[in-house]
Amino acid sequence: GEDVEQSLFLSVREGDSSVINCTYTDSSSTYLYWYKQEPGAGLQLLTYIFSNMDMKQDQRLTVLLNKKDKHLSLRIADTQTGDSAIYFCAESKTGTASKLTFGTGTRLQVTL
Amino acid sequence: GAVVSQHPSRVICKSGTSVKIECRSLDFQATTMFWYRQFPKQSLMLMATSNEGSKATYEQGVEKDKFLINHASLTLSTLTVTSAHPEDSSFYICSAVGGLSSYEQYFGPGTRLTVT
């Protein structure tokens, strides 16, 4: 079956960079996503990457994909207190581009 | 970006009653909508996939007679929890796909259901 794993918790100081990691098992994953969830709210799509890409940068966010190791990371530069939230990675497959399998979620805590 | 709304945001109901949750895509037509369930401090669990004008496809282990899904138009899907019990208490989130791309999934703000 499909498995998407993340570490549960990350604490960083304001202004530092955060790196949230994700591993997945299904090599047929085509699209990989990062979502942000604030307490009591839905999910906000942050960014996504196609499996034929290695890196994508969007303002403070950098996504790195190592397809060989099935490893995805999200780097947040200059982390702010407003970045405190749960971050989910998710993957979808060729032919079912919209059905998502979510990771376990990483709680990011930003301290002053 | 695309906006998805859910109504109500919170609902408390008595055991044995039914509750309807609405999911709307506000500024695009959603060819497909998804319903997820999230337990506290856990990830999202896909319950069903809903395509406009056709029957929903339920994930394994999800009771289709208990969780009725209707996708009557390209902007509205509803989830009805029938004969609710306390174990149905959860955070229900919908998402919608459509608009300019089929690989970007936009989520609603969620509905907190508490069954007493």
Side-chain angles (χ1 to χ4, degrees):
Chain A
E2 308 126 9
D3 245 345
V4 184
E5 298 284 339
Q6 298 176 238
S7 52
L8 289 178
F9 183 76
L10 175 66
S11 180
V12 298
R13 283 193 158 180
E14 189 178 39
D16 288 350
S17 291
S18 309
V19 179
I20 303 171
N21 295 301
C22 172
T23 57
Y24 58 99
T25 57
D26 195 326
S27 56
S28 66
S29 299
T30 305
Y31 307 99
L32 295 132
Y33 303 82
W34 284 104
Y35 283 89
K36 176 184 180 182
Q37 185 180 34
E38 298 189 40
L43 273 68
Q44 175 193 353
L45 176 63
L46 290 177
T47 187
Y48 57 88
I49 190 169
F50 299 132
S51 60
N52 62 356
M53 298 166 66
D54 298 323
M55 191 266 284
K56 179 179 180 181
Q57 186 165 3
D58 184 1
Q59 299 183 336
R60 291 193 298 125
L61 305 178
T62 303
V63 179
L64 294 177
L65 174 62
N66 181 327
K67 198 173 177 185
K68 174 175 167 288
D69 293 339
K70 301 189 189 71
H71 182 266
L72 181 74
S73 68
L74 174 69
R75 179 177 180 270
I76 306 173
D78 187 25
T79 311
Q80 303 297 306
T81 54
D83 295 324
S84 294
I86 299 176
Y87 290 80
F88 290 96
C89 64
E91 59 91 19
S92 66
K93 295 176 189 24
T94 307
T96 56
S98 300
K99 184 174 173 177
L100 296 176
T101 300
F102 281 89
T104 46
T106 299
R107 181 178 296 276
L108 174 64
Q109 180 183 65
V110 182
T111 59
L112 297 173
Chain B
V3 179
V4 176
S5 70
Q6 279 183 245
H7 176 80
S9 56
R10 301 179 73 95
V11 58
I12 301 172
C13 70
K14 287 188 163 35
S15 192
T17 62
S18 295
V19 174
K20 182 186 282 189
I21 302 170
E22 292 186 349
C23 177
R24 291 182 188 271
S25 56
L26 297 186
D27 51 2
F28 67 101
Q29 292 188 324
T31 50
T32 303
M33 286 182 169
F34 298 88
W35 286 96
Y36 294 85
R37 184 173 179 177
Q38 186 179 32
F39 291 102
K41 298 186 180 180
Q42 292 191 26
S43 189
L44 280 74
M45 181 192 81
L46 179 64
M47 298 174 67
T49 303
S50 168
N51 291 296
E52 186 263 340
S54 61
K55 287 186 180 180
T57 303
Y58 290 81
E59 295 298 301
Q60 195 171 9
V62 178
E63 298 176 61
K64 62 181 180 183
D65 294 330
K66 180 163 187 63
F67 298 100
L68 300 178
I69 291 171
N70 186 338
H71 194 157
S73 76
L74 284 171
T75 59
L76 173 64
S77 176
T78 60
L79 167 68
T80 301
V81 183
T82 62
S83 187
H85 287 96
E87 57 266 29
D88 299 325
S89 298
S90 194
F91 193 54
Y92 292 88
I93 306 177
C94 72
S95 68
V97 174
L100 296 176
S101 72
S102 64
Y103 49 80
E104 292 188 21
Q105 199 169 130
Y106 296 95
F107 283 78
T111 296
R112 170 77 58 196
L113 169 63
T114 304
V115 184
T116 60

